[in-house]
Amino acid sequence: MIIVLKPSVTPEQVIGFTTKLTTDYGVNVNRWDGVHSTVLGLIGDTTQVDIEYIEAQDIVESVRRVQEPYKKANRKFHPENTVIKINNEVSIGDGSLHIMAGPCSVESEEQIVQIAKDVKKSGATLLRGGAFKPRTSPYAFQGLKSEGLDLLKAARKATGLPIVTEIMRTSHIDMFENVDIIQVGARNMQNFELLKELGKIDKPILLKRGLSATIEEWLMSAEYIMAGGNSKVMLCERGIRTYETYTRNTLDVSAIPIIKKLSHLPVIVDPSHASGKSWLVEPLAMAAVAAGADGLIIEVHNDPPHALSDGAQSLTPEKFDKVAKKVFALKEALSNT
Ligand code: PEP
Ligand code: MN
């Protein structure tokens, strides 16, 4: 971190400020006395330094970070990829490609068990399904809630597929104990109280990118979970809000290699919510795999026109089978290059 002090600063103020920085944050401070200004360079772990506090000081002209504000999620401090082992068949981040597939909402036992069987046959290694649904309208279907969780467990029992489902509030954490991966939805990416509580448990978290979150804000949310002691975090790019209205969101393909460069955490891509259109799921899934995604999360429904949520972006099991074949073939081709 580089701090430029105002020309009017006195030598006593510089010494007092430097001592405060050293004692409060445990950093070393290098000082350069120029003709017109004094510059301080903070050396060491500056993640704890409150940049707003520095900016608020009367003697400070400007301040700039030269190091990212996240540490545990940062590849600089953890060069090797994080691999999240779910069971003997599923290790996410180890170079293989995993697909989490299933309906937006769990609707009935028959529905979820049949879809689980179908997607497993096509190569999906995890079952996704919403039990608690964050809907834009309070009048829209809100999910089967705890019954939905029980039905997901029934589908896991029938197929062996680990289950991924979304949590919406801290008080539900105990209810999610038997879930394999807890999803934090886009709308809750900055629910810091929820993130802090999820940091205290030993369970993989799929952290979706907020609708208008920058990559750094998203990584800081991962840092919240990791700072509590839970390092099993996966980042899910699900499209961001832009001025384009043709698609539901805009898939930020560039976020995939950027996250891979900045962080060691696995990246999962959701082409369903990114596009909002079932016919766009295949090309976006292909783009995601080509850009280096560790996994995909895809909505699959047995009867999309009658789905209780997100039917327009849901693939039928037959269409999903074709998409899965193509993305696995692409992954194979890329592995041989
Ligand atoms: C979902 O996965 O069904 C969902 C609501 O996703 P997002 O949080 O990305 O909108
Ligand atoms: Mn959905």
Side-chain angles (χ1 to χ4, degrees):
M1 184 176 285
I2 305 288
I3 304 171
V4 180
L5 301 179
K6 287 185 179 154
S8 56
V9 69
T10 65
E12 293 72 33
Q13 284 175 313
V14 177
I15 291 167
F17 189 48
T18 303
T19 309
K20 185 157 175 54
L21 291 172
T22 312
T23 46
D24 284 5
Y25 301 117
V27 291
N28 289 324
V29 181
N30 272 357
R31 169 178 161 183
W32 295 273
D33 292 309
V35 180
H36 300 294
S37 50
T38 301
V39 176
L40 304 179
L42 274 49
I43 304 179
D45 180 6
T46 57
T47 49
Q48 317 263 331
V49 178
D50 181 353
I51 199 160
E52 287 172 18
Y53 162 79
I54 308 277
E55 271 169 346
Q57 302 312 302
D58 279 345
I59 60 168
V60 171
E61 176 94 41
S62 64
V63 54
R64 198 160 67 85
R65 274 194 185 280
V66 288
Q67 206 174 63
E68 298 82 9
Y70 47 89
K71 190 168 184 216
K72 294 189 185 294
N74 199 327
R75 197 181 271 286
K76 271 188 199 145
F77 306 107
H78 187 297
E80 61 289 350
N81 290 328
T82 281
V83 177
I84 299 178
K85 193 170 156 57
I86 310 294
N87 61 21
N88 284 338
E89 282 102 61
V90 186
S91 289
I92 302 173
D94 67 353
S96 57
L97 179 72
H98 288 280
I99 308 184
M100 309 171 178
C104 180
S105 296
V106 177
E107 297 173 9
S108 69
E109 177 159 0
E110 197 190 3
Q111 175 235 24
I112 192 69
V113 171
Q114 189 55 50
I115 293 176
K117 287 181 179 166
D118 288 340
V119 298
K120 183 179 182 180
K121 232 183 280 166
S122 301
T125 45
L126 299 115
L127 175 66
R128 69 140 285 150
F132 293 89
K133 295 304 305 174
R135 307 302 302 282
T136 303
S137 165
Y139 310 114
F141 178 58
Q142 304 286 309
L144 292 182
K145 307 191 172 80
S146 66
E147 188 197 343
L149 292 181
D150 292 340
L151 299 183
L152 279 167
K153 287 172 202 162
R156 176 175 61 192
K157 196 157 181 227
T159 58
L161 290 181
I163 54 179
V164 186
T165 193
E166 178 169 355
I167 194 164
M168 297 217 294
R169 57 163 85 165
T170 309
S171 59
H172 285 173
I173 289 178
D174 288 347
M175 218 194 279
F176 279 64
E177 204 194 330
N178 213 355
V179 162
D180 300 286
I181 298 178
I182 299 180
Q183 174 179 326
V184 174
R187 289 150 194 84
N188 269 317
M189 189 205 84
Q190 286 190 320
N191 180 341
F192 299 120
E193 289 309 310
L194 178 62
L195 302 180
K196 278 193 257 183
E197 291 303 313
L198 293 173
K200 295 180 190 161
I201 61 173
D202 182 26
K203 174 96 50 204
I205 309 294
L206 180 71
L207 178 64
K208 289 193 148 197
R209 182 177 184 178
L211 273 71
S212 56
T214 64
I215 288 171
E216 188 166 291
E217 286 165 343
W218 187 18
L219 285 167
M220 288 305 284
S221 289
E223 191 78 9
Y224 256 94
I225 301 169
M226 299 176 86
N230 184 356
S231 54
K232 296 178 187 165
V233 180
M234 287 163 261
L235 295 162
C236 178
E237 162 59 40
R238 45 78 74 206
I240 48 173
R241 190 59 74 81
T242 68
Y243 51 78
E244 181 55 67
T245 55
Y246 190 86
T247 46
R248 184 175 182 184
N249 292 289
T250 298
L251 181 66
D252 183 6
V253 180
S254 60
I256 305 162
I258 293 171
I259 291 288
K260 286 275 167 198
K261 181 178 160 66
L262 299 177
S263 178
H264 50 87
L265 299 173
V267 179
I268 308 295
V269 172
D270 176 347
S272 308
H273 291 87
S275 63
K277 292 177 171 24
S278 60
W279 66 271
L280 274 171
V281 170
E282 179 181 308
L284 297 191
M286 297 289 272
V289 172
D294 297 289
L296 299 166
I297 181 163
I298 296 180
E299 287 189 338
V300 178
H301 195 279
N302 50 311
D303 183 11
H306 295 105
L308 295 184
S309 59
D310 287 351
Q313 66 195 35
S314 298
L315 301 181
T316 59
E318 296 71 33
K319 181 66 187 154
F320 173 71
D321 189 61
K322 292 201 180 86
V323 174
K325 282 198 172 73
K326 283 191 93 159
V327 293
F328 283 127
L330 174 61
K331 178 70 187 172
E332 178 74 18
L334 290 168
S335 309
N336 296 329
T337 56

